[in-house]
Amino acid sequence: MWRGLYTAGTGMITESKRTDTLANNLANANTTGFKRDEAISREFHPMLIKRINDGINHNDVTSFKQFHVGEQYPVVGTLGLGSYIDEIATEHSQGAFETTGNPLDLAISGNGYFAIQTENGVRYTRDGNFYKSARGEIQTVNGQTVLGRNGRGITIPQDTVSIMVGSKGEVYADNVQIGQLQFVQFDNRRAVLKQGNNLYYPQEGARPAPATGEIQQGMLERSNTNVVSEMVELINNYRMYEAGSKAVTTQDAMLDKSVNDVGRLT
């Protein structure tokens, strides 16, 4: 019975973590460049159950002092031991484009990331909602510098009338190229992990390469979260959690009866 409590409990913990993931997806449904997460669960290794003292002929000539040659206990089946969250995987499918007309709004079509300078080092993002600071430097909404190919920021002259950004990140001020954005990708999408604030950090040994995607100026890539699908999954997740809760209640009632009724001395 104790095993039943633990099995149901691990299921509830799994569904609780899945709920957190779904809630985070819904909270970022309108976040530019956000990629939804998927909680991947895995079952603990099941236990093989056999019946003991069943089907063995103890009068057999091969039996001697409770030792039996060639014992084959009948197999009952396997017993599940619960589940756990094995991985929080990020779905990198393309989000829809939204036209803004802002020359510093950049969307990525295909593979690629923008490089951002943060307090913790270089980070990567697909959020192309950029601004020009008071000093003319291209920055994120959080005031972080958007890096160019030379590893430094790009400064737009104060008297610039028109700003153009090419498909590979070339930045032009009044038709004069003033720099190029650091537009990169990683051969393995698992090479970068989410840090928070729509930023990714590279795993140890990951090396960026020139991106094969293209930059679309005057657009933003919306989140790839489908609100309807997430809500349906959230309802299903709630029912799974509720089933685990009922299983725990049932196991608790059985333990109560076995301790207080079956085990009572008369």
Side-chain angles (χ1 to χ4, degrees):
M1 294 183 186
W2 287 108
R3 184 180 290 118
L5 282 174
Y6 289 128
T7 300
T10 59
M12 293 177 66
I13 293 173
T14 297
E15 299 308 322
S16 177
K17 292 182 178 179
R18 196 187 309 277
T19 298
D20 293 341
T21 302
L22 293 170
N24 184 63
N25 291 340
L26 288 170
N28 289 280
N30 294 320
T31 301
T32 303
F34 177 80
K35 301 301 179 184
R36 66 179 297 274
D37 292 324
E38 182 78 23
I40 309 298
S41 60
R42 177 173 293 183
E43 182 185 8
F44 288 109
H45 292 294
M47 179 184 297
L48 181 65
I49 302 177
K50 296 182 179 181
R51 297 201 302 269
I52 61 175
N53 298 326
D54 188 3
I56 302 298
N57 184 5
H58 295 278
N59 296 322
D60 190 272
V61 294
T62 61
S63 300
F64 178 73
K65 292 185 178 180
Q66 304 301 320
F67 174 77
H68 312 286
V69 177
E71 292 181 345
Q72 294 294 331
Y73 293 117
V75 175
V76 177
T78 56
L79 175 66
L81 299 179
S83 61
Y84 63 98
I85 296 297
D86 183 51
E87 178 187 6
I88 303 296
T90 302
E91 182 184 334
H92 292 275
S93 60
Q94 183 78 54
F97 286 168
E98 177 183 2
T99 302
T100 65
N102 187 336
L104 288 181
D105 281 345
L106 308 176
I108 297 175
S109 175
N111 296 327
Y113 297 94
F114 300 110
I116 309 297
Q117 183 64 53
T118 70
E119 296 178 354
N120 300 319
V122 178
R123 296 294 184 263
Y124 301 92
T125 185
R126 287 181 66 93
D127 183 0
N129 187 17
F130 300 142
Y131 294 88
K132 186 176 71 170
S133 68
R135 296 179 301 175
E137 192 174 56
I138 301 178
Q139 294 183 343
T140 67
V141 293
N142 295 320
Q144 298 161 326
T145 301
V146 181
L147 297 177
R149 291 187 61 182
N150 58 4
R152 297 192 297 271
I154 298 176
T155 302
I156 300 174
Q158 295 295 335
D159 57 349
T160 299
V161 176
S162 64
I163 301 172
M164 297 291 294
V165 179
S167 61
K168 294 301 179 181
E170 308 91 339
V171 181
Y172 298 89
D174 294 334
N175 298 321
V176 177
Q177 185 171 353
I178 58 174
Q180 184 171 356
L181 295 173
Q182 191 175 143
F183 183 41
V184 300
Q185 72 176 41
F186 296 84
D187 294 336
N188 184 0
R189 287 184 172 179
R190 294 177 181 267
V192 289
L193 301 176
K194 285 188 175 181
Q195 173 181 298
N197 293 324
N198 226 0
L199 297 176
Y200 296 83
Y201 67 93
Q203 296 197 62
E204 185 177 355
R207 294 290 181 268
T212 58
E214 293 185 350
I215 296 175
Q216 306 291 332
Q217 187 179 16
M219 296 183 178
L220 291 176
E221 181 187 12
R222 301 181 61 184
S223 169
N224 65 352
T225 299
N226 186 313
V227 176
V228 176
S229 298
E230 298 294 326
M231 288 299 298
V232 172
E233 184 65 26
L234 192 62
I235 294 172
N236 178 68
N237 185 70
Y238 169 75
R239 290 174 178 170
M240 295 290 290
Y241 185 89
E242 187 178 32
S245 176
K246 290 181 178 178
V248 169
T249 303
T250 301
Q251 293 286 332
D252 181 66
M254 292 174 63
L255 282 170
D256 177 71
K257 192 170 185 66
S258 63
V259 172
N260 296 305
D261 293 342
V262 178
R264 179 181 299 166
L265 296 176
T266 58

